[in-house]
Amino acid sequence: MMSDWNGKLDLAALVQSRLPGHSLPQPFYVDSSVVELDLDRIFKRQWVFVGHSCQIKQPGDFFTVAIGKDPLILIRGDDGEIRALHNVCRHRGTLIRREGCGAAGRLVCPYHQWTYERDGKLASCRGMHDGINRDALGLLPSHVEDLEGMLFVCLADRPPDFSAAREAMAPMLKPQRMREAKVAKIVDYDVAANWKLVWENNRECYHCDVNHPQYIKANFDHFNSDDTRPEVKQRIETAAARHELQCAKNGLEITHKETGMATFPDPDHGCWYAANRTTLAEGYVSETMDGRQVAPLMGDYTEADVGTLRCRTMPNMWNHSSCDHAVSTRLLPAGPNRTQVRVMWLVHPDAEEGRDYELEKLMPFWQLTSEQDWELCEFSQAGISSGAYRPGPYSTHKEYNVDAFVRWYLEALTQ
Amino acid sequence: MMSDWNGKLDLAALVQSRLPGHSLPQPFYVDSSVVELDLDRIFKRQWVFVGHSCQIKQPGDFFTVAIGKDPLILIRGDDGEIRALHNVCRHRGTLIRREGCGAAGRLVCPYHQWTYERDGKLASCRGMHDGINRDALGLLPSHVEDLEGMLFVCLADRPPDFSAAREAMAPMLKPQRMREAKVAKIVDYDVAANWKLVWENNRECYHCDVNHPQYIKANFDHFNSDDTRPEVKQRIETAAARHELQCAKNGLEITHKETGMATFPDPDHGCWYAANRTTLAEGYVSETMDGRQVAPLMGDYTEADVGTLRCRTMPNMWNHSSCDHAVSTRLLPAGPNRTQVRVMWLVHPDAEEGRDYELEKLMPFWQLTSEQDWELCEFSQAGISSGAYRPGPYSTHKEYNVDAFVRWYLEALTQ
Amino acid sequence: MMSDWNGKLDLAALVQSRLPGHSLPQPFYVDSSVVELDLDRIFKRQWVFVGHSCQIKQPGDFFTVAIGKDPLILIRGDDGEIRALHNVCRHRGTLIRREGCGAAGRLVCPYHQWTYERDGKLASCRGMHDGINRDALGLLPSHVEDLEGMLFVCLADRPPDFSAAREAMAPMLKPQRMREAKVAKIVDYDVAANWKLVWENNRECYHCDVNHPQYIKANFDHFNSDDTRPEVKQRIETAAARHELQCAKNGLEITHKETGMATFPDPDHGCWYAANRTTLAEGYVSETMDGRQVAPLMGDYTEADVGTLRCRTMPNMWNHSSCDHAVSTRLLPAGPNRTQVRVMWLVHPDAEEGRDYELEKLMPFWQLTSEQDWELCEFSQAGISSGAYRPGPYSTHKEYNVDAFVRWYLEALTQ
């Protein structure tokens, strides 16, 4: 046993015990000390997606988020810059803003009214004695990066490099113009599964055929190298040709036009980010139930038929963007068998609900796909908790990305 | 202290600290590491009652149960045999069936449709690469024994001997013919008490006089050697004589006709099972509120007046069977202060609710007795958690079986 | 780190790490092993306020309370004495009385009817064998002190001295005559904050200006040495003069007539108790919403204008008493981030609801103040749990008593 009832963990032995090409040993999914390590070594060290800059367009607009036990305020300053401040008063540690979002003139602690500027500087602490070093008592900041409207926070003192991710993804993301978008809807889920199971689910479409009837109509990634018949190949080529025509008009390029998923992550090259543009099935110009456009074109698009833009970053985000809307998914671990998941739908900034789009048409595709997946993840967690769980083999045809995720994870954990 | 806040437990010292004839030291009832040991050393090693074979009469019928964290499927195969399979897919550990019971053509994992035969063999795993050893990827089996319709599972690789239990109990159980019975009702309880307190409650009738007004009218086991007046002795003899007459007609024998409880368990002779036939009070032919028969005669009985058949097995089952119905109680530990209890009522296979029996007459006797007991167990748990709890003396007249249980338990735990 | 995920705590290092004049390091507020120590070393050793003797006026009257995991019965005996008995049967540890209060002829265990006198002596244990030493099987007692109607319990074998507290406080408390009072209302709260945060909140009025609009109208303690303008000084002197006139008639003395809080606790002189009589603001004769008297005069008072009597004892009680009612607050830790708080309103024994007082006028002042405080405490707990919490400086003008509390606590913990 790698983890006894005393909670003592021999991490090196546990990592060593993983069979190549197989799912992880049980403690990774059920042991509370592992989730502590996941938080300390991954979520506190890496770039964590927290939300969209378009949620906070005006100076003083803020939203809150907690990474593990660390509550943060993402707030736009008077200079227009977005900052990630720890939501913790420097006086006696009180949580400053409890709401999920809002607008703040200054940040005022409800307890004794210590007052902070929107950039975190301590503006006043009425009632304190002389000799207090106010300069040292601003709200503690975190690192934050705004990647074309996607906000990433790093809690580490020295964050890992972000520039390579920016360089690779910004040109892909730019035409979607999420920075100027409007949030149409946010749905929060409390999923009874380890965050790694949510990723493992996301990293293969082996489960799609039976579980995601709406998804497989729109996409090609459930076809894999082992089951691609000539007629499927023909369908993809036709679809890709159609998209490429439109994409060219928009100055875009289809970068993934094969069956199966694009490879991601890539632990062998330290690659925790990826973006690509993918062909949709015939008759689909958007990831919607019937494939039709359901909202005004976003960003730089002049035609609907541009495939989908997909991006994902370890350890906690993926996004699928169609011509008319973008959907981001954010994972935050909340225990060995709990993950808080937020799904966000973005549309054109001027689109008005009722007039330009309806939620009943905008949401079902990804709401269904998400909820179908959460249920599968919960089934997995329930079975893996058994004493009879044995790590099983990943399909080399269909689960290569699950294996890549597991290898990325083990490397990140032991770095 | 035997158990500090670090959860470290000196089991030998703890066992040593038990005073003979007294209730157990506190950690046995409140410490979460003890319940882990109870599961590992008792519930994972011994024969655990899980249910009745008549719950799954047809090939493909199944019910599920979890022993500790190990979910199982009890399923009848195409060959008519009942198997206990771990309810955990060999691919990525997904729980295969979530429902409490049902009928299954094959066992299909909801995630990627790995498909198992009803005997657990892997039938197909579409999408996997070549070279997978399918023979090694069947559902893991547990040992299972069917004792006249009572199903026992053992999770150990090498289960303890079952034949002596079968030999002793089968002839007693046979005339009730539970194997062919019908489940009239199942009620599940979540009792806020350690499983051992539920057993201690069951192993004496010292508490019956005040707490079980309906039970003591029907039975003699609340009378003990210290309080049996001549008129009580006379009543028992009269009742026993009456039953014996009928029993003889049915080829049965009254094996317990004294006041007080039959001795059980017997740790000195390693005896974890027992069955006996007991006299009921005058006017009672069934354990019902008014003593009358409330359903058709079961099994081989031709007359109602056959006393009650009682059997019990450590660590988790007791059953009282009257001429017309049988009631089984199953315990499963779910934490230091939680026990999941299932009570099941069985009747003749052809009996039809509304026509041949009514639940309002069938259930109250044991439903009341059970619920009265669960409340007492919860009061005990609440008091024993106090720093002022001191193990107290068991009455040698009335609590000899409680002491026997405690000794059986300590032996089983330290084996 | 002073406390790792294994729960191991280096207490000496943790205590050492506290910066003078600053709030406590995080583990004191969030670590479950610290709350165990708080219970063992403070709540099990010191005099803990449990309630009022007027709750149990007749022999047999009782109320129950749990200090940590130790359930107690406070019961008045046939001799009129109040005793604190462990609410745990000496037979098998069953909780004897589950209700919050009641009247008992004798204390009868619901399980096997072991019966105890109101003084805890075992009166009968029907069904036990001979040779049981009944004298040794009475309910275990705790130490109890009745201080002018306030009941204090000590679970330690050798309680600390109580006489100095009695000597200092009894003369101050006596005229209120709480011993003969009547309980008008009890409200229980489950506050999601460490008990020390509830004290820290109570030990300063720095937070009052914004958070307690009703409180600051009645009192002067939110003014502190740093912000007392001449007109405030004038107001206090006027109010004190008025009160002193009336107090003299009642044989009382205003002992605190400055701005700011009276100093308490005083760890340098081992002082865990204090009482004083304080001036109320102009127009206020009672701590009510509009300052008017809302119930008949209590105790020895012949005039309303007597200021307020205030007392408090570490580790868990404060009381504010006006001419017409008294309000006691009791804290009991229930986990690192949970405190059970009871607030009790007392009035004249003959006062009748509806005729002599109305709860809607009696309660709001302290109900509002209390609930405003619990919310602040919960905000504090939420922020302090962050990895970004850093102990902050206490205002020497306004938070001297918070610092005094923290120093008292650290000393009590390490004694």
Side-chain angles (χ1 to χ4, degrees):
Chain A
M1 274 294 280
M2 306 299 148
S3 169
D4 64 17
W5 50 262
N6 261 331
K8 266 179 220 148
L9 193 76
D10 181 346
L11 184 66
L14 182 59
V15 168
Q16 202 66 37
S17 72
R18 193 231 165 183
L19 292 172
H22 284 65
S23 59
L24 289 165
Q26 186 185 54
F28 284 109
Y29 301 112
V30 305
D31 198 299
S32 58
S33 53
V34 171
V35 89
E36 293 297 321
L37 287 175
D38 288 357
L39 282 167
D40 280 355
R41 300 189 166 196
I42 296 177
F43 281 82
K44 285 198 157 188
R45 287 187 188 170
Q46 305 222 356
W47 287 103
V48 172
F49 173 73
V50 292
H52 286 281
S53 66
C54 68
Q55 295 176 265
I56 46 177
K57 288 190 173 168
Q58 302 301 322
D61 286 355
F62 69 88
F63 68 86
T64 58
V65 62
I67 300 175
K69 289 182 176 167
D70 292 2
L72 297 164
I73 304 181
L74 276 285
I75 185 167
R76 194 179 288 269
D78 298 313
D79 54 0
E81 288 301 301
I82 290 173
R83 290 179 183 79
L85 304 170
H86 285 279
N87 189 3
V88 177
C89 184
R90 296 299 304 278
H91 178 212
R92 277 161 59 187
T94 306
L95 193 71
I96 291 174
R97 300 296 301 227
R98 193 179 264 187
E99 326 89 285
C101 61
R106 291 169 168 193
L107 294 168
V108 183
C109 178
Y111 209 160
H112 306 90
Q113 290 71 54
W114 280 36
T115 299
Y116 302 88
E117 302 293 355
R118 288 158 166 178
D119 63 3
K121 225 168 278 161
L122 180 60
S124 83
C125 56
R126 180 192 49 79
M128 292 303 293
H129 48 277
D130 294 338
I132 290 287
N133 181 0
R134 293 175 186 221
D135 293 338
L137 290 170
L139 294 180
L140 294 177
S142 287
H143 301 279
V144 62
E145 291 281 352
D146 178 347
L147 172 61
E148 296 296 325
M150 311 190 98
L151 298 175
F152 294 84
V153 159
C154 180
L155 296 174
D157 290 337
R158 300 183 187 189
D161 174 64
F162 194 83
S163 62
R166 180 182 300 282
E167 206 168 306
M169 292 203 289
M172 297 291 295
L173 295 173
K174 195 162 196 169
Q176 194 79 27
R177 294 206 183 269
M178 283 188 267
R179 192 170 276 158
E180 291 131 41
K182 164 186 159 177
V183 178
K185 185 72 179 179
I186 293 177
V187 179
D188 287 313
Y189 297 97
D190 196 350
V191 180
N194 191 283
W195 70 279
K196 297 185 287 287
L197 290 177
V198 182
W199 262 121
E200 295 181 25
N201 170 279
N202 175 269
R203 293 291 77 221
E204 45 93 356
C205 217
Y206 183 7
H207 68 275
C208 293
D209 276 350
V210 168
N211 291 290
H212 299 316
Q214 72 288 340
Y215 185 87
I216 57 171
K217 278 193 221 154
N219 289 290
F220 291 105
D221 45 5
H222 60 293
F223 293 114
N224 282 277
S225 50
D226 65 318
D227 57 4
T228 308
R229 288 147 292 147
E231 62 267 33
V232 172
K233 254 190 139 60
Q234 176 64 41
R235 278 177 57 200
I236 298 176
E237 274 160 27
T238 307
R242 184 194 73 208
H243 281 120
E244 276 176 323
L245 209 64
Q246 302 298 346
C247 283
K249 286 194 207 171
N250 284 278
L252 309 173
E253 192 190 352
I254 295 289
T255 59
H256 183 70
K257 43 196 174 189
E258 291 95 54
T259 51
M261 282 188 157
T263 306
F264 179 79
D266 185 350
D268 301 326
H269 303 87
C271 198
W272 54 273
Y273 51 84
N276 57 260
R277 187 167 289 276
T278 305
T279 288
L280 285 170
E282 311 92 295
Y284 279 76
V285 298
S286 181
E287 286 190 330
T288 57
M289 296 302 281
D290 62 4
R292 292 192 216 162
Q293 182 179 342
V294 293
L297 291 179
M298 287 182 78
D300 298 336
Y301 303 137
T302 58
E303 312 265 356
D305 215 2
V306 295
T308 54
L309 170 67
R310 298 168 183 200
C311 69
R312 47 202 86 81
T313 56
M314 288 294 148
N316 81 322
M317 188 275 294
W318 62 85
N319 173 290
H320 274 221
S321 292
S322 291
C323 62
D324 55 348
H325 73 287
V327 186
S328 296
T329 302
R330 178 187 84 182
L331 311 184
L332 292 169
N337 50 10
R338 258 187 80 206
T339 303
Q340 290 176 335
V341 186
R342 166 167 284 195
V343 183
M344 310 177 69
W345 284 260
L346 307 185
V347 295
H348 188 282
D350 300 332
E352 217 173 87
E353 193 186 336
R355 189 191 64 188
D356 299 313
Y357 66 94
E358 293 164 37
L359 292 177
E360 310 88 77
K361 295 203 169 170
L362 181 70
M363 294 175 63
F365 186 94
W366 271 108
Q367 188 170 13
L368 279 172
T369 303
S370 299
E371 294 173 9
Q372 288 153 353
D373 279 335
W374 310 159
E375 194 187 10
L376 292 171
C377 293
E378 294 184 348
F379 268 93
S380 274
Q381 184 74 37
I384 287 172
S385 302
S386 168
Y389 165 69
R390 303 285 178 274
Y394 292 137
S395 166
T396 54
H397 301 308
K398 292 173 178 296
E399 294 172 299
Y400 46 90
N401 273 341
V402 186
D403 190 58
F405 166 73
V406 164
R407 289 189 298 113
W408 169 87
Y409 164 73
L410 292 175
E411 213 172 285
L413 189 71
T414 50
Q415 234 165 21
Chain B
M1 275 294 281
M2 307 297 151
S3 171
D4 63 18
W5 52 261
N6 262 330
K8 266 180 219 149
L9 192 78
D10 181 345
L11 184 66
L14 182 59
V15 168
Q16 201 67 35
S17 71
R18 193 232 163 182
L19 291 172
H22 284 65
S23 58
L24 288 165
Q26 186 184 53
F28 284 110
Y29 301 112
V30 305
D31 198 298
S32 59
S33 53
V34 172
V35 89
E36 294 297 321
L37 285 175
D38 289 357
L39 282 167
D40 281 354
R41 299 188 165 197
I42 297 178
F43 282 82
K44 284 199 158 186
R45 289 187 186 170
Q46 306 222 356
W47 287 102
V48 173
F49 173 72
V50 291
H52 286 282
S53 65
C54 67
Q55 295 177 265
I56 45 176
K57 288 190 173 167
Q58 301 302 322
D61 286 355
F62 70 88
F63 69 85
T64 59
V65 62
I67 300 176
K69 288 182 179 169
D70 292 0
L72 297 163
I73 304 181
L74 276 285
I75 185 166
R76 194 178 288 270
D78 298 314
D79 54 1
E81 289 300 302
I82 291 173
R83 290 179 183 79
L85 304 171
H86 285 280
N87 189 3
V88 178
C89 184
R90 297 299 305 279
H91 177 212
R92 277 162 58 187
T94 306
L95 193 70
I96 292 175
R97 301 297 300 224
R98 192 179 262 186
E99 327 89 283
C101 61
R106 291 169 167 194
L107 295 168
V108 182
C109 178
Y111 209 161
H112 306 89
Q113 291 72 53
W114 281 35
T115 300
Y116 302 89
E117 302 292 354
R118 289 158 165 178
D119 62 4
K121 223 168 280 161
L122 180 59
S124 81
C125 55
R126 179 191 51 78
M128 292 302 293
H129 48 277
D130 293 337
I132 291 288
N133 181 359
R134 294 176 185 219
D135 293 339
L137 289 171
L139 295 180
L140 293 177
S142 286
H143 301 280
V144 62
E145 292 280 352
D146 179 346
L147 171 61
E148 295 296 325
M150 310 189 98
L151 299 176
F152 294 84
V153 158
C154 181
L155 297 174
D157 290 337
R158 297 181 188 193
D161 175 63
F162 195 82
S163 62
R166 181 182 298 284
E167 207 169 306
M169 293 205 287
M172 297 291 296
L173 294 173
K174 194 162 197 170
Q176 194 78 29
R177 294 204 182 271
M178 282 188 268
R179 192 169 278 158
E180 291 130 42
K182 164 186 157 177
V183 178
K185 185 73 179 177
I186 293 176
V187 179
D188 286 314
Y189 296 97
D190 196 351
V191 180
N194 190 283
W195 70 280
K196 297 185 286 287
L197 291 178
V198 182
W199 262 120
E200 295 181 26
N201 170 278
N202 174 269
R203 293 292 75 221
E204 46 92 357
C205 216
Y206 183 9
H207 69 274
C208 293
D209 276 351
V210 167
N211 291 293
H212 298 316
Q214 71 290 339
Y215 184 87
I216 58 171
K217 280 193 218 155
N219 288 291
F220 291 106
D221 47 4
H222 61 293
F223 293 115
N224 281 277
S225 50
D226 65 319
D227 59 3
T228 308
R229 290 147 291 144
E231 62 267 33
V232 172
K233 253 194 138 57
Q234 177 63 42
R235 278 176 59 198
I236 298 176
E237 275 161 24
T238 308
R242 185 192 73 207
H243 281 121
E244 277 177 319
L245 210 65
Q246 303 297 347
C247 282
K249 286 195 208 170
N250 285 278
L252 310 173
E253 193 190 352
I254 295 290
T255 59
H256 182 69
K257 43 198 174 188
E258 289 95 54
T259 52
M261 280 188 159
T263 305
F264 178 78
D266 184 351
D268 302 326
H269 303 87
C271 197
W272 54 273
Y273 51 84
N276 56 260
R277 187 168 288 277
T278 305
T279 288
L280 285 170
E282 311 92 295
Y284 279 77
V285 299
S286 180
E287 286 190 333
T288 59
M289 295 302 280
D290 61 5
R292 291 192 218 165
Q293 184 179 339
V294 294
L297 291 179
M298 287 181 77
D300 298 336
Y301 303 137
T302 58
E303 312 265 355
D305 216 2
V306 295
T308 53
L309 169 67
R310 296 166 185 203
C311 69
R312 47 204 85 82
T313 56
M314 289 294 149
N316 81 324
M317 189 276 293
W318 61 84
N319 172 291
H320 275 221
S321 292
S322 291
C323 64
D324 55 346
H325 72 289
V327 186
S328 296
T329 302
R330 179 187 83 182
L331 311 183
L332 292 169
N337 51 9
R338 259 188 81 205
T339 304
Q340 290 175 334
V341 186
R342 166 167 285 196
V343 184
M344 309 177 68
W345 283 261
L346 307 186
V347 294
H348 188 282
D350 300 332
E352 217 173 85
E353 195 187 334
R355 187 189 68 187
D356 300 314
Y357 67 95
E358 293 164 37
L359 291 177
E360 309 88 76
K361 295 203 166 170
L362 179 73
M363 293 175 63
F365 187 94
W366 271 107
Q367 188 170 13
L368 279 172
T369 302
S370 299
E371 293 173 9
Q372 289 152 353
D373 279 335
W374 310 159
E375 195 187 12
L376 292 170
C377 293
E378 293 184 348
F379 267 93
S380 274
Q381 185 73 38
I384 287 172
S385 302
S386 168
Y389 164 69
R390 303 284 178 272
Y394 292 136
S395 166
T396 55
H397 302 307
K398 292 174 178 296
E399 293 171 301
Y400 45 89
N401 273 342
V402 185
D403 190 57
F405 166 73
V406 164
R407 289 190 296 114
W408 169 85
Y409 164 72
L410 292 175
E411 216 172 283
L413 190 70
T414 49
Q415 237 166 18
Chain C
M1 274 294 281
M2 305 298 149
S3 170
D4 63 17
W5 51 262
N6 262 331
K8 266 179 219 150
L9 193 77
D10 181 345
L11 183 66
L14 182 59
V15 168
Q16 202 67 36
S17 72
R18 193 231 164 184
L19 292 173
H22 284 64
S23 58
L24 289 165
Q26 186 184 53
F28 285 110
Y29 301 111
V30 305
D31 197 298
S32 58
S33 54
V34 172
V35 90
E36 294 296 321
L37 285 175
D38 289 357
L39 282 166
D40 281 355
R41 300 189 165 196
I42 296 178
F43 282 82
K44 285 200 158 186
R45 287 187 188 172
Q46 306 222 355
W47 288 102
V48 173
F49 172 73
V50 291
H52 285 282
S53 66
C54 69
Q55 296 176 262
I56 45 175
K57 287 190 173 167
Q58 301 302 321
D61 285 356
F62 70 88
F63 68 85
T64 59
V65 61
I67 301 175
K69 288 182 179 169
D70 292 2
L72 297 164
I73 305 181
L74 276 286
I75 184 166
R76 196 178 287 270
D78 298 314
D79 55 1
E81 289 300 303
I82 290 172
R83 289 178 184 81
L85 304 171
H86 286 279
N87 190 4
V88 178
C89 183
R90 297 298 305 280
H91 177 212
R92 276 161 59 186
T94 306
L95 193 70
I96 292 175
R97 300 296 301 225
R98 191 179 265 186
E99 326 88 287
C101 61
R106 290 169 168 193
L107 294 168
V108 183
C109 177
Y111 208 160
H112 306 91
Q113 290 73 52
W114 280 36
T115 300
Y116 302 89
E117 302 293 353
R118 289 157 166 179
D119 62 4
K121 224 168 278 162
L122 179 60
S124 82
C125 56
R126 181 190 50 76
M128 293 302 294
H129 48 277
D130 293 338
I132 289 289
N133 181 0
R134 293 176 186 220
D135 293 338
L137 290 171
L139 295 180
L140 293 177
S142 285
H143 302 280
V144 62
E145 291 281 352
D146 178 348
L147 173 62
E148 295 295 324
M150 309 189 98
L151 298 176
F152 294 85
V153 159
C154 181
L155 295 174
D157 291 336
R158 299 181 188 192
D161 175 63
F162 195 81
S163 62
R166 181 182 299 284
E167 208 168 304
M169 293 204 288
M172 297 291 295
L173 294 173
K174 195 162 196 170
Q176 194 78 29
R177 294 204 182 272
M178 282 187 268
R179 191 171 278 159
E180 290 132 41
K182 166 186 157 176
V183 178
K185 187 71 180 179
I186 293 176
V187 179
D188 287 314
Y189 296 97
D190 196 350
V191 180
N194 190 283
W195 70 280
K196 297 184 287 287
L197 290 178
V198 182
W199 262 120
E200 294 180 28
N201 170 278
N202 175 270
R203 292 292 76 219
E204 45 92 357
C205 216
Y206 183 7
H207 69 275
C208 293
D209 276 351
V210 167
N211 289 292
H212 299 314
Q214 71 291 337
Y215 185 87
I216 58 170
K217 280 193 218 155
N219 289 291
F220 290 105
D221 45 6
H222 60 293
F223 293 115
N224 282 278
S225 49
D226 65 318
D227 58 3
T228 308
R229 290 146 291 146
E231 62 267 33
V232 172
K233 253 191 139 60
Q234 178 61 42
R235 278 177 58 198
I236 298 175
E237 274 161 27
T238 309
R242 185 193 73 206
H243 280 123
E244 276 176 321
L245 209 66
Q246 302 297 347
C247 283
K249 287 195 207 170
N250 285 278
L252 308 172
E253 193 191 352
I254 294 290
T255 58
H256 182 71
K257 44 197 174 191
E258 290 95 54
T259 52
M261 281 189 159
T263 306
F264 178 78
D266 185 351
D268 301 325
H269 302 87
C271 198
W272 55 274
Y273 51 84
N276 58 259
R277 187 167 287 278
T278 305
T279 288
L280 285 170
E282 313 93 292
Y284 278 78
V285 298
S286 181
E287 286 189 333
T288 59
M289 296 302 281
D290 61 4
R292 293 194 216 162
Q293 183 180 341
V294 294
L297 292 178
M298 285 182 80
D300 299 336
Y301 303 138
T302 59
E303 312 264 356
D305 216 1
V306 295
T308 53
L309 169 67
R310 297 167 184 201
C311 70
R312 46 204 86 82
T313 56
M314 289 293 148
N316 81 322
M317 189 276 293
W318 61 85
N319 172 293
H320 275 221
S321 292
S322 291
C323 63
D324 55 347
H325 74 287
V327 185
S328 296
T329 302
R330 178 187 83 181
L331 312 183
L332 292 169
N337 51 9
R338 259 188 78 206
T339 304
Q340 290 174 334
V341 186
R342 166 167 285 194
V343 183
M344 310 176 69
W345 284 260
L346 307 185
V347 294
H348 189 281
D350 301 332
E352 217 172 84
E353 194 186 335
R355 190 190 64 188
D356 301 314
Y357 67 93
E358 293 165 36
L359 292 177
E360 309 87 77
K361 295 203 167 171
L362 180 71
M363 293 174 62
F365 186 95
W366 272 107
Q367 188 170 12
L368 280 172
T369 303
S370 300
E371 293 172 9
Q372 289 153 354
D373 280 335
W374 310 159
E375 196 188 10
L376 292 171
C377 293
E378 294 184 348
F379 267 92
S380 275
Q381 184 75 38
I384 288 172
S385 303
S386 169
Y389 165 69
R390 302 283 179 274
Y394 292 135
S395 167
T396 55
H397 302 307
K398 293 174 178 294
E399 294 172 300
Y400 45 91
N401 274 341
V402 185
D403 190 58
F405 165 74
V406 164
R407 288 190 297 114
W408 169 87
Y409 163 72
L410 292 174
E411 214 172 284
L413 190 70
T414 49
Q415 236 167 18

